[in-house]
Amino acid sequence: MTQQNLLLIDGFNLLSRGYFATAYNKSEDQLTKTSDGLYTNALRVFFQKLFNLIDGHGVSHLAIAWDVKREETSRRVKYDFYKASRNELPAPLIQQYETLTKILDQMGINQLVVPPHEADDVIGSLSTKWTSETEDNCLIYSNDKDLLQLLNKQTSQIIAQKRQETVYTIDHFREEYGIDSSQWVDVKALLGDASDNIPGCPGVGVKSALPLIQQYVNVEQLFEQLDGLDPKFNRYKKKLTEGKESVFISKELATIERGIPVFDTFDLNDLKLAIEHEHVADAMKALELRMKYQGVQVG
């Protein structure tokens, strides 16, 4: 049987990175637009990357996952501080998101929004379903390291670093961190995440969080053994005791959901990639963009 590859794209991660990379030190007036005034600086990056990923990784199945509005996520509803420090998005980025979702629909590319869940949870649920129901590979495209908890022998993450991309596998992860991917959420529970306003354990930083989980496996076992904590970690004992509640809330917030009920009856064949060249060409022409898809110039 032919090898199949599912590609799951964290849509806003890619779109926003494309936007801020091309908008750096520019006013909104300096951003590229169509003759009709539609902004396209982030769209160019998004489509070029999308086509390169499809061509370069033998993609047979594809889905782009989008977040719901920040205030409507299940995490934010329960904990109002979650992601509360994030700034409002620039108007040209919002416009390009709206343009993009319409064009992807016209091209027949699967987009998934599942309220009140975040894109990470959609990716977690789909990757888990794919690896439990097939023996094929799943690729996650995102620079969000929270997603490393999803890695397994079939699932890898494509991470962009220093102008090159790495297909980061479970073996890479184990070699770099000395733990299994399922333990990554425990490291995050101790470290927290400033960008998401996840508190972690105050006073426990990068140098101690990973060694603690390497030794104690997870935060549950760490707190069970806190009275007999290894003397080399004694300086963190008081901080851990005081931060216990914060750690468990942080673990809850950092844990990606892998079984959103709507996917219980979802047919993975619905994600099969079937893009018509004609639709791609029409979309690129409308955006006044020229690029290659499957070796053919479009737009």
Side-chain angles (χ1 to χ4, degrees):
M1 185 180 282
T2 307
Q3 171 76 46
Q4 300 188 109
N5 294 306
L6 169 64
L7 173 64
L8 298 173
I9 296 178
D10 181 348
F12 212 78
N13 182 275
L14 173 53
L15 184 67
S16 60
R17 281 195 293 121
Y19 177 83
F20 289 109
T22 54
Y24 184 71
N25 274 346
K26 291 180 181 176
S27 68
E28 291 184 4
D29 289 342
Q30 293 173 306
L31 302 178
T32 54
K33 307 181 193 70
T34 65
S35 52
D36 291 334
L38 278 179
Y39 290 101
T40 58
N41 61 306
L43 296 176
R44 176 185 291 279
V45 176
F46 190 99
F47 281 112
Q48 192 62 76
K49 178 50 60 184
L50 174 64
F51 298 156
N52 288 346
L53 288 167
I54 291 170
D55 291 349
H57 295 282
V59 174
S60 62
H61 294 67
L62 170 67
I64 297 171
W66 297 105
D67 289 313
V68 293
K69 289 181 181 177
R70 197 180 306 162
E71 296 75 23
E72 296 171 8
T73 67
S74 53
R75 292 175 180 85
R76 181 66 179 270
V77 168
K78 188 170 181 181
Y79 298 107
D80 61 1
F81 60 83
Y82 177 67
K83 292 190 176 180
S85 57
R86 292 201 174 181
N87 297 326
E88 291 301 309
L89 299 172
L93 175 54
I94 294 171
Q95 186 199 80
Q96 288 177 87
Y97 163 74
E98 292 167 350
T99 303
L100 176 60
T101 53
K102 288 175 189 168
I103 288 176
L104 290 172
D105 269 343
Q106 291 164 9
M107 289 168 58
I109 291 177
N110 293 289
Q111 302 178 81
L112 294 168
V113 183
V114 186
H117 305 283
E118 295 177 61
D120 287 4
D121 301 313
V122 174
I123 290 170
S125 296
L126 274 178
S127 65
T128 299
K129 186 177 180 72
W130 179 266
T131 54
S132 66
E133 294 183 10
T134 80
E135 294 181 357
D136 298 312
N137 293 328
C138 174
L139 292 168
I140 296 169
Y141 186 83
S142 177
N143 265 29
D144 184 351
K145 290 198 171 181
D146 291 348
L147 292 159
L148 293 176
Q149 64 190 271
L150 301 176
L151 300 183
N152 56 39
K153 63 186 175 76
Q154 289 168 255
T155 303
S156 302
Q157 184 171 344
I158 303 172
I159 301 174
Q161 294 172 317
K162 297 177 182 176
R163 298 194 176 185
Q164 65 177 19
E165 288 182 347
T166 302
V167 178
Y168 194 82
T169 66
I170 185 64
D171 290 335
H172 290 133
F173 179 88
R174 287 170 178 155
E175 186 177 338
E176 181 170 357
Y177 294 105
I179 56 174
D180 197 63
S181 56
S182 61
Q183 297 169 272
W184 185 240
V185 72
D186 293 281
V187 176
K188 298 283 290 185
L190 293 172
L191 274 183
D193 187 332
S195 67
D196 288 343
N197 222 29
I198 296 176
C201 185
V204 176
V206 176
K207 291 182 179 177
S208 49
L210 182 60
L212 280 165
I213 298 306
Q214 286 171 335
Q215 183 155 336
Y216 291 98
V217 182
N218 55 45
V219 292
E220 287 80 6
Q221 290 190 48
L222 169 62
F223 282 100
E224 280 173 15
Q225 299 177 56
L226 204 54
D227 288 341
L229 194 69
D230 190 315
K232 69 184 178 186
F233 296 121
N234 269 350
R235 59 182 292 206
Y236 301 108
K237 193 169 183 178
K238 185 171 185 287
K239 292 167 183 171
L240 287 164
T241 302
E242 292 172 349
K244 182 176 180 179
E245 183 181 1
S246 176
V247 168
F248 283 100
I249 289 172
S250 297
K251 181 167 181 175
E252 181 184 350
L253 288 169
T255 299
I256 292 173
E257 208 167 327
R258 302 183 190 213
I260 298 175
V262 73
F263 292 115
D264 290 349
T265 56
F266 186 83
D267 188 348
L268 292 169
N269 288 321
D270 290 346
L271 301 181
K272 200 156 183 62
L273 188 63
I275 308 176
E276 299 288 341
H277 267 275
E278 183 183 345
H279 293 158
V280 176
D282 288 345
M284 295 306 103
K285 190 174 180 181
L287 293 172
E288 299 170 16
L289 298 175
R290 287 178 63 79
M291 55 189 67
K292 283 189 174 180
Y293 173 58
Q294 294 187 334
V296 177
Q297 191 81 35
V298 291

